[in-house]
Amino acid sequence: MSRYFVTGTDTDAGKTFVSAALLTSARRQGRTTLGLKPVAAGCERDGDMLRNIDALLLQALSFPPVDYATVNPVALEPAIAPHLAAQRAGVQIRLDDLERMLQRTLDMRPGDTILIEGAGGWRVPLNAEEDLSGLAVRLELPVILVVGMRLGCISHARLTLEAIRAEGLRVTGWVANQIDPNMREYEANLETLHRCLDAPFLGAIPWLGDTSAESSNLSELQAKAAQAAEYLSGL
């Protein structure tokens, strides 16, 4: 059984897209899979429920099937930082509660490959005192770092790697995900990352088109994740 926490260098680095590609790769190898997004802001109303397209993608790539509330137990409507979205909703998110919910799911679903996705970057606040990264620390999860390939990514990646290791966690590897098709000196930046990041390299996903929730539907995202899986070494 393999459990990992997936974080990114920043918001929109491609955490969900890379997670979907890794889950797709695991399914191709005959493994059971489970993708979790404990906290999601930017959800849309579906009847009485709030749903997030990133969480829906992880749900679609989980096998055996799992219900939405298990994948995304804390769903918030505004597309803003989780602690601010929670304030607007009049709720408080605590690490103790998230850990209990998540541990219960992990105990019930011992999948071969389980990916737990964070929100935003490594240091995104959960409330006034706690960061969401504390969940990875409490569960002692190895971390996969998604580097969104755009201007500024080298510093963001190095600082994030340092912060993860400062928490005493192991970095399983990093993925370069090209989110800016017009990034200047892409190859030179990638070479610099190879030199600066002392962690296993899991692959580089080239620009495969816009994978944002605003421009893609669920089936399109699954198809692009299947393409992206070809560029990864797997777990």
Side-chain angles (χ1 to χ4, degrees), residues 15-16 35-40 52 54-55 58 71-74 117-119:
K15 296 183 301 298
T16 303
L36 302 174
K37 190 175 179 68
V39 179
N52 175 273
D54 289 345
L58 297 179
V71 173
N72 175 214
V74 180
E117 184 190 330

Side-chain angles (χ1 to χ4, degrees), residues 126-174:
L126 194 61
N127 53 55
E129 295 86 26
E130 299 173 318
D131 293 339
L132 184 53
S133 58
L135 192 59
V137 176
R138 290 186 177 208
L139 295 173
E140 299 181 330
L141 296 169
V143 180
I144 296 169
L145 172 61
V146 178
V147 180
M149 296 297 291
R150 60 184 168 198
L151 184 65
C153 66
I154 296 173
S155 179
H156 290 165
R158 296 177 72 183
L159 289 170
T160 303
L161 187 65
E162 289 173 10
I164 294 168
R165 286 180 169 158
E167 299 278 12
L169 296 177
R170 176 173 64 87
V171 178
T172 294
W174 62 280

Side-chain angles (χ1 to χ4, degrees), residues 23-133:
L23 291 172
T24 299
S25 178
R27 285 296 301 133
R28 288 173 179 173
Q29 297 171 44
R31 301 180 191 174
T32 59
T33 55
L34 179 59
L36 302 174
K37 190 175 179 68
V39 179
C43 299
E44 295 186 356
R45 291 212 166 268
D46 181 9
D48 295 333
M49 296 283 293
L50 283 170
R51 299 183 187 274
N52 175 273
I53 191 167
D54 289 345
L56 287 169
L57 179 59
L58 297 179
Q59 180 189 18
L61 293 171
S62 296
F63 182 84
V66 62
D67 63 275
Y68 181 84
T70 297
V71 173
N72 175 214
V74 180
L76 303 165
E77 193 165 4
I80 55 179
H83 71 296
L84 299 178
Q87 288 176 15
R88 283 197 185 182
V91 299
Q92 187 174 41
I93 314 170
R94 305 291 305 180
L95 279 179
D96 283 343
D97 299 327
L98 284 182
E99 183 182 8
R100 277 194 297 270
M101 288 186 288
L102 201 55
Q103 191 61 62
R104 186 163 56 246
T105 298
L106 295 178
D107 290 342
M108 293 174 59
R109 288 289 307 262
D112 289 335
T113 300
I114 300 177
L115 302 182
I116 301 164
E117 184 190 330
W122 180 250
R123 288 296 188 197
V124 67
L126 194 61
N127 53 55
E129 295 86 26
E130 299 173 318
D131 293 339
L132 184 53
S133 58

Side-chain angles (χ1 to χ4, degrees), residues 13-14 17-18 145-149 153 173-179 186 189-190 193-194 197 200-207 228 231-232:
F17 187 55
V18 171
L145 172 61
V146 178
V147 180
M149 296 297 291
C153 66
W174 62 280
V175 175
N177 180 44
Q178 189 172 7
I179 56 177
Y186 171 83
N189 277 275
L190 184 57
L193 286 167
H194 276 289
L197 299 183
F201 177 58
L202 301 180
I205 301 174
W207 173 255
Y231 297 93
L232 301 178

